[in-house]
Amino acid sequence: MNAAVKAVVHAVLAALGVLVGLAGALVQAAWLPGGLLLALLATASLFYGGLCAAGGQSGVVSSGAGWLAAVVAVGFGRGEGDKVLWGGLADLVFILGGMALAVMCATLSVLPQQRRRTGPLDGGHART
């Protein structure tokens, strides 16, 4: 993958991170507990998809940075008192769970490889 394609992939992943973070912050409070599970599932899918799309941990970092920026932005709110995340239990589970999912996906240094099927007489070794 050349540098231009890599830059576009990371920019798209960061933008998707912002969208998933905003959508998750809104959905997790609306349909409790199903919304919380849906938001965390979308977050995990984003991070793992970033790992696969970029071919390494940098995809998790770029999508995680977008997600974290969106969650922090809606968490601080505005001066008038408008906030999306108020610091309840579900909000904390969403924030801490999302960060834990990012760390889990970032620790996958190598993408899982498909295992070849072996026959009963191969001695446990795949054919090449």
Side-chain angles (χ1 to χ4, degrees):
M1 194 177 335
N2 63 15
V5 173
K6 217 176 250 197
V8 169
V9 166
H10 287 292
V12 168
L13 285 173
L16 284 173
V18 169
L19 291 175
V20 170
L22 290 175
L26 295 172
V27 167
Q28 61 88 22
W31 302 322
L32 197 65
L36 178 61
L37 293 174
L38 181 66
L40 288 174
L41 180 65
T43 302
S45 300
L46 168 74
F47 295 150
Y48 189 73
L51 179 74
C52 293
Q57 298 164 333
S58 61
V60 180
V61 171
S62 59
S63 60
W67 181 87
L68 187 62
V71 170
V72 167
V74 297
F76 281 139
R78 298 180 346 169
E80 294 86 13
D82 298 334
K83 290 175 73 172
V84 175
L85 300 173
W86 285 93
L89 182 63
D91 298 338
L92 291 175
V93 169
F94 173 64
I95 293 169
L96 295 176
M99 287 191 282
L101 289 169
V103 169
M104 282 186 238
C105 288
T107 56
L108 294 173
S109 61
V110 178
L111 294 175
Q113 302 294 321
Q114 290 184 351
R115 299 182 77 181
R116 293 185 181 185
R117 294 182 147 219
T118 59
L121 301 177
D122 287 341
H125 300 289
R127 294 182 190 151
T128 56

